[in-house]
Amino acid sequence: KMGAAFDVVKDRISGFGKIIGNIFSKTLSETISDVKDNFKGMGEEMSEETKQAGELEKATQKLRDTENEFIITRAKKNKQLAEARLLSEDENTSLEVRRIALEDAIKLEKQLLQDELDHQAERVRILEEKTNMAHSTAADEKALAEAKVDLINLETKSLTTQKRLKREMNSLDNE
């Protein structure tokens, strides 16, 4: 939060430096007017920047907590998914039981993938806001680009997974 307020002050000082640089090319009243304009609204801007930084920090913490919980959830769902897949492939089991097991596996895979997509979309949103709010570095912009690529890759994975699951269901239906 303090960094956001510091950025506002730094911007105003930078603006003041430009005004001083132009002091000999303008009249005194123009220079005074420029100084007033430069510092006008500084308190409100600091307040807003600090508020946004606080909200982004809360969103980041919430995402981190959600992802930590998801690690355990994913492990449990992966176990359920493996069990359902094994049952769906067991030729000693009735076709109806295999179909239900495959439907369960499909449902679990879709849930896992959607959760991953939701988490990555939130990560991208947070990084975009942080990048837009502060003076972003090349590393910040690279992190954002990588997060966007990860989201696109998850969306691609989702499409290929949906197609694979549909083929599996069709294959079971054709037995």
Side-chain angles (χ1 to χ4, degrees):
K1 291 180 187 180
M2 291 301 294
F6 180 73
D7 284 342
V8 172
V9 172
K10 189 171 71 172
D11 287 345
R12 299 307 168 113
I13 291 173
S14 173
F16 184 69
K18 289 177 186 175
I19 292 168
I20 296 299
N22 292 330
I23 199 164
F24 297 110
S25 62
K26 293 188 176 187
T27 67
L28 180 60
S29 63
E30 289 174 325
T31 302
I32 291 172
S33 177
D34 288 348
V35 170
K36 285 181 187 177
D37 290 343
N38 184 60
F39 290 100
K40 187 181 205 177
M42 186 174 157
E44 294 86 14
E45 187 177 347
M46 286 175 65
S47 175
E48 184 59 31
E49 292 274 337
T50 303
K51 179 182 171 190
Q52 287 177 345
E55 289 170 358
L56 284 175
E57 184 59 33
K58 285 179 186 175
T60 301
Q61 288 172 355
K62 182 179 177 186
L63 178 62
R64 187 174 36 246
D65 292 345
T66 302
E67 287 178 334
N68 287 341
E69 291 170 14
F70 183 63
I71 291 169
I72 296 167
T73 301
R74 181 181 347 184
K76 289 177 181 176
K77 284 186 178 181
N78 280 337
K79 180 181 176 190
Q80 293 171 338
L81 180 59
E83 291 168 349
R85 284 205 159 282
L86 287 173
L87 186 58
S88 74
E89 296 168 0
D90 184 357
E91 294 180 3
N92 295 324
T93 307
S94 74
L95 193 56
E96 184 58 29
V97 170
R98 290 173 61 200
R99 187 179 209 326
I100 292 170
L102 183 57
E103 288 171 352
D104 289 345
I106 289 170
K107 182 180 175 187
L108 285 167
E109 280 200 59
K110 285 182 177 179
Q111 286 174 348
L112 282 170
L113 202 48
Q114 188 59 53
D115 287 344
E116 288 178 25
L117 282 167
D118 292 345
H119 294 156
Q120 190 61 30
E122 178 64 0
R123 188 176 298 111
V124 167
R125 183 193 71 78
I126 290 168
L127 287 172
E128 282 178 333
E129 286 192 30
K130 283 182 178 179
T131 301
N132 291 336
M133 190 179 94
H135 300 288
S136 57
T137 64
D140 295 333
E141 291 170 4
K142 182 178 181 191
L144 175 58
E146 288 172 348
K148 286 180 177 181
V149 167
D150 289 345
L151 180 59
I152 292 167
N153 288 338
L154 279 172
E155 291 169 342
T156 303
K157 179 182 174 184
S158 174
L159 294 172
T160 57
T161 298
Q162 288 175 38
K163 185 168 180 130
R164 179 182 50 82
L165 295 173
K166 183 69 174 161
R167 272 194 320 265
E168 289 177 19
M169 186 57 80
N170 289 340
S171 175
L172 189 62
D173 286 342
N174 292 333
E175 285 188 22

